[in-house]
Amino acid sequence: MLSVYRVIYNLSNIVSRYALHKQTAHCLSELTSRLSTMDVHPFLQPIFCSRDEKIIGCEVLLRLRENKEYISPVGFIHEIEHTELMNKITCELLDKISNSLFPCSFLLPEGFYFSFNLSVFQVRDSFVINSIVNFSKLFSGKANLVIEIVERNFLEFDEGTIRNMDALMHSGIRFAIDDFCAGASSLKYIEYNGFSTIKIDRTLTVTFEGRLAYSRVIMAIVSLAKSSNLTVIAEGVEDEEQKNLLKQAGICALQGYYLENPMELSIFKQKYLNWS
Ligand code: C2E
Ligand code: CA
Ligand code: CA
């Protein structure tokens, strides 16, 4: 009798899991079809050298536009990261930056880079890879390209991903580990030579009572980065005290609202390149 109950229990479990799966798939397709009607806009947030506070690069951040309002992807990005729509969006971001900034790229400071966010899934997509290579060729000698690999739950690289990353690395593209220390498993990826940069997640760069709340962790990251020849960027810099403490801790580059907000391309061109 007990085993009959067990069979019924297992069956109902499978049925409800299947229903949940169907429902999730339905929600995802509703979400992607709604998002695909919106306009894609790249915003740029400058990244500054901590020594002289000059601009050294920019992170490209997706905004979708609906009813004249810009929407950040923070609320849905994890849902769509593995979808075709995300690949299309990334290619559109690359195109829009090329079209808008290539004509004034001779004004970019020496060594300047554009940093794009990509999930591991996307590094497997040939369409995305081609767009990245084309972007990098177009800006060759004028700006470099960095791919921030986003770590949502955990990073897992299969052989195909590593092969694509190697190929991109050999054509001069660099990789950054994004949101470092926000997840559980990023530490071991320091061993992979393709990574040139660590971006410390903003939850770790906060201050408390006049000091860095995670100063020992930050010191450890800085020393690990030095011995591995990596650059460290601190995210989420929101005030002067935090900025100074991060500088003192040996952080190379800074990004955050205190230094600059993400902005539209036209504003970036006016403000940083004097081009209208
Ligand atoms: P992220 O890659 O960690 O990007 C930095 C986020 O922190 C941005 O949020 C930026 O607006 C915000 N930020 C910058 N400075 C500060 C600060 O001082 N304080 C605080 N509290 N926040 C700050 P945003 O633009 O809303 O993007 C959220 C996340 O969405 C990004 O986090 C990234 O993971 C993802 N994302 C954005 N664009 C793309 C994209 O094109 N592709 C992919 N795969 N993910 C993207
Ligand atoms: Ca990022
Ligand atoms: Ca980040």
Side-chain angles (χ1 to χ4, degrees):
M1 194 61 178
L2 192 67
S3 62
V4 173
Y5 280 131
R6 198 170 287 147
V7 169
I8 292 171
Y9 173 78
N10 283 344
L11 266 177
S12 69
N13 226 358
I14 290 165
V15 169
S16 60
R17 273 214 314 268
Y18 176 69
L20 186 69
H21 177 74
K22 261 182 78 176
Q23 201 184 1
T24 315
H26 176 69
C27 290
L28 181 63
S29 88
E30 242 178 49
L31 176 69
T32 52
S33 61
R34 179 146 179 267
L35 295 177
S36 57
T37 63
M38 298 183 191
D39 286 335
V40 169
H41 289 267
F43 266 43
L44 293 178
Q45 186 178 32
I47 299 167
F48 299 90
C49 168
S50 62
R51 199 173 12 88
D52 55 14
E53 293 188 28
K54 287 197 174 138
I55 185 169
I56 52 172
C58 260
E59 178 171 4
V60 179
L61 293 162
L62 166 67
R63 293 291 178 271
L64 292 174
R65 195 163 173 182
E66 189 177 50
N67 303 329
K68 295 189 181 157
E69 260 187 53
Y70 287 116
I71 303 167
S72 148
V74 69
F76 54 80
I77 194 80
H78 56 288
E79 305 284 353
I80 63 161
E81 237 160 19
H82 58 285
T83 64
E84 251 329 289
L85 174 67
M86 195 63 231
N87 294 337
K88 238 182 96 219
I89 289 177
T90 301
C91 295
E92 220 173 314
L93 291 176
L94 286 154
D95 272 358
K96 288 198 165 158
I97 298 279
S98 304
N99 295 339
S100 170
L101 279 147
F102 183 71
C104 48
S105 57
F106 66 95
L107 293 168
L108 292 168
E110 208 189 322
F112 185 89
Y113 62 86
F114 291 105
S115 194
F116 284 82
N117 290 283
L118 244 75
S119 74
V120 183
F121 306 106
Q122 294 186 277
V123 185
R124 291 172 204 153
D125 187 83
S126 55
F127 198 52
V128 171
I129 299 289
N130 277 343
S131 300
I132 289 172
V133 170
N134 290 340
F135 183 97
S136 162
K137 279 187 188 152
L138 180 70
F139 281 92
S140 171
K142 301 202 170 71
N144 298 312
L145 177 53
V146 174
I147 305 291
E148 298 188 12
I149 299 285
V150 192
E151 184 196 29
R152 299 272 172 236
N153 301 311
F154 60 92
L155 282 176
E156 212 45 79
F157 300 133
D158 60 18
E159 256 180 52
T161 312
I162 297 275
R163 215 177 308 118
N164 285 348
M165 286 175 78
D166 282 346
L168 292 176
M169 197 179 81
H170 284 118
S171 48
I173 293 156
R174 292 176 291 159
F175 288 88
I177 307 180
D178 200 4
D179 302 343
F180 191 68
C181 276
S185 63
S186 45
L187 205 57
K188 71 178 183 212
Y189 295 105
I190 284 183
E191 291 290 328
Y192 174 61
N193 286 332
F195 286 113
S196 68
T197 306
I198 291 172
K199 293 192 79 173
I200 307 182
D201 190 62
R202 65 169 182 271
T203 53
L204 272 166
T205 62
V206 291
T207 56
F208 180 68
E209 295 181 345
R211 56 182 282 277
L212 290 171
Y214 298 94
S215 60
R216 280 181 299 165
V217 181
I218 289 179
M219 299 289 200
I221 296 173
V222 168
S223 127
L224 183 67
K226 258 193 196 135
S227 62
S228 314
N229 211 12
L230 296 164
T231 301
V232 183
I233 302 176
E235 299 188 298
V237 182
E238 292 186 352
D239 60 48
E240 176 80 14
E241 177 188 63
Q242 185 189 9
K243 181 190 82 179
N244 291 333
L245 289 167
L246 288 163
K247 276 186 185 190
Q248 282 161 27
I251 299 285
C252 323
L254 305 162
Q255 181 181 359
Y257 296 155
Y258 180 67
L259 299 155
E260 194 58 275
N261 290 320
M263 64 188 87
E264 287 175 56
L265 296 185
S266 57
I267 299 177
F268 175 80
K269 289 199 288 190
Q270 254 168 36
K271 194 165 174 184
Y272 288 94
L273 306 180
N274 219 357
W275 176 282
S276 38

